[in-house]
Amino acid sequence: LYIEADGKVYANYNASYMFASLEGLETINNMEYLDISLTTDMSYLFDYTGYNASTFNIDISDWNTSKVEYMAYMFNNTGYNATTWSIGNLNGWNTASVISMNYMFAGAGYSAQTWTIGNLSSWNTSNVAYMDRMFENTGYSAQAFAMDLSNWQTGNVTDMSYMFRNAGSSAQ
């Protein structure tokens, strides 16, 4: 899948399901042309995308997420059967407005031997209420699985059930 434009392509405030269920998708080129700076809802954005792909690689590290409130199920089961899974380094994402991150990465890259998400330590999670099953079954088969979440503020979270259940279960 390619995004082509003479300039920016602006996503609607509700971008939920935009790329959902493209089960054979392995990559999206030119994601830098997709401007999501007005978007408030990114839930289910990539839900089941690349589910049957052999690899899953989308670089969305430069997205302006400052207005986003909903990221639930965003990467749910993406690249589920892929041997490699990567979405770039999301450390620069502004998550201060996010309320819901439940199931955000659940099942993402389940079969991947190589699972790369980058650093999430700078995410502002002080307004997040829902983190249940956020990383459940994420990178289940990965050879290495580690994330630094030490700076996350979780005082407002009301549900963290199964947040890390089976995440990176095969990692040494």
Side-chain angles (χ1 to χ4, degrees):
L1 181 63
Y2 293 90
I3 295 175
E4 291 191 37
D6 292 332
K8 295 281 184 186
V9 174
Y10 292 91
N12 193 308
Y13 72 94
N14 184 345
S16 59
Y17 295 97
M18 183 184 286
F19 299 105
S21 298
L22 299 172
E23 294 184 8
L25 185 82
E26 292 186 355
T27 191
I28 301 174
N29 295 319
N30 302 324
M31 287 299 274
E32 66 272 14
Y33 291 118
L34 182 60
D35 188 327
I36 57 119
S37 62
L38 303 175
T39 302
T40 58
D41 189 350
M42 291 180 20
S43 55
Y44 299 92
L45 184 70
F46 295 103
D47 186 45
Y48 281 88
T49 301
Y51 186 88
N52 292 318
S54 59
T55 185
F56 186 80
N57 182 19
I58 295 175
D59 187 356
I60 51 176
S61 52
D62 293 330
W63 276 6
N64 176 353
T65 57
S66 62
K67 293 186 179 176
V68 178
E69 297 175 4
Y70 304 101
M71 291 184 170
Y73 294 86
M74 188 174 173
F75 301 101
N76 182 53
N77 288 316
T78 55
Y80 189 88
N81 292 307
T83 55
T84 60
W85 188 94
S86 176
I87 56 173
N89 187 343
L90 308 185
N91 200 42
W93 277 20
N94 180 342
T95 55
S97 298
V98 179
I99 299 165
S100 178
M101 290 183 167
N102 51 312
Y103 290 85
M104 186 174 177
F105 298 101
Y110 179 88
S111 301
Q113 297 294 307
T114 305
W115 192 87
T116 309
I117 193 171
N119 188 345
L120 306 179
S121 64
S122 70
W123 279 17
N124 179 345
T125 57
S126 61
N127 288 318
V128 178
Y130 307 103
M131 289 185 170
D132 51 299
R133 300 178 189 263
M134 186 176 177
F135 297 103
E136 181 182 34
N137 293 324
T138 303
Y140 182 86
S141 301
Q143 294 173 350
F145 186 89
M147 290 181 288
D148 180 2
L149 311 178
S150 60
N151 294 323
W152 282 21
Q153 299 171 358
T154 57
N156 287 325
V157 178
T158 59
D159 191 350
M160 287 181 148
S161 58
Y162 301 105
M163 185 173 172
F164 298 102
R165 182 176 178 228
N166 294 327
S169 289
S170 298
Q172 299 293 322

